Amino acid sequence: MFLQKLKDIKAFVLDIDGVLTDGTVHVTETGEQLRRFHVRDGYAMQRAVRNGYLICVISGGKSASVLGRLNGLGITDIYLGVDKKIDVYQNFLKQRRLSPEEVMYMGDDIPDIPPMKACGLPVCPSDAVEEVKAVSAYISPKAGGTGCVRDVIEKVLKIQKKWFDSEPSAQDDTITSA
């Protein structure tokens, strides 16, 4: 059932803290918040964007450096400082003319549950809270910030025969200054 649903996916909706990062926020003396992203997640997101998939990021956090990192990967649907993720999720579907069955949502905590219940394929990292695991169709063996996003994007692209490139570019691994 899970593998069959991968064939219909056209968009990935992701949380940041606990999904794209390990959930740790380092705060400098000046108040800047620093997060750590996994480059393999970045590579997978770039591959997805280059293959025509939509990627939407919805987060309660706000950070200019996060915005820079995501823009550098080619992601344009970025919503930061969001209180009710379900409203942003539904608006994204409407704007992009997507059906819920065409969307995979990866979340890790309580605020992600409403949009996860509304999407076609809810997934989570291995270290998600139990309530999120309970509504997920797939639990990645990878924890947040350690390649869980790569895990699910790679599965979709492989099932749809869009993963492998016989002549990969070194640009695929470029890290932006975010």
Side-chain angles (χ1 to χ4, degrees):
M1 180 78 138
F2 170 71
L3 292 177
Q4 185 64 32
K5 288 184 175 189
L6 297 179
K7 294 178 182 179
D8 297 327
I9 299 301
K10 294 182 180 177
F12 302 94
V13 179
L14 308 168
D15 179 30
I16 295 176
D17 296 321
V19 173
L20 285 168
T21 75
D22 66 4
T24 302
V25 178
H26 298 277
V27 182
T28 67
E29 288 184 19
T30 62
E32 182 181 8
Q33 296 183 1
L34 306 174
R35 291 165 172 86
R36 184 176 69 178
F37 290 84
H38 200 291
V39 295
R40 290 189 190 130
D41 287 341
Y43 176 79
M45 289 187 287
Q46 283 182 328
R47 296 270 323 141
V49 168
R50 288 180 183 163
N51 277 286
Y53 293 87
L54 297 170
I55 296 182
C56 174
V57 176
I58 305 172
S59 177
K62 295 181 252 184
S63 170
S65 61
V66 167
L67 185 61
R69 169 70 175 149
L70 297 172
N71 284 153
L73 296 171
I75 299 167
T76 57
D77 291 297
I78 304 165
Y79 304 92
L80 304 177
V82 174
D83 287 327
K84 283 187 71 180
K85 292 183 177 188
I86 188 67
D87 294 343
V88 173
Y89 167 79
Q90 290 172 334
N91 191 45
F92 170 72
L93 263 62
K94 185 177 177 182
Q95 287 179 341
R96 296 301 193 152
R97 296 186 175 107
L98 292 164
S99 70
E101 296 75 30
E102 296 171 318
V103 179
M104 175 186 285
Y105 188 108
M106 181 173 252
D108 73 305
D109 209 346
I110 304 299
D112 297 305
I113 292 174
M116 289 179 76
K117 286 182 174 181
C119 79
L121 192 55
V123 299
C124 69
S126 64
D127 59 344
V129 299
E130 292 305 315
E131 294 88 346
V132 168
K133 288 179 180 180
V135 300
S136 294
Y138 174 74
I139 301 169
S140 174
K142 305 274 186 185
T146 67
C148 63
V149 172
R150 162 80 176 250
D151 174 45
V152 295
I153 290 177
E154 185 175 331
K155 281 178 177 20
V156 170
L157 271 64
K158 282 183 174 179
I159 285 285
Q160 295 183 16
K161 303 197 183 322
K162 295 179 181 178
W163 176 251
F164 185 72
D165 184 347
S166 61
E167 295 183 30
S169 166
Q171 293 295 322
D172 291 341
D173 291 328
T174 300
I175 301 173
T176 62
S177 59

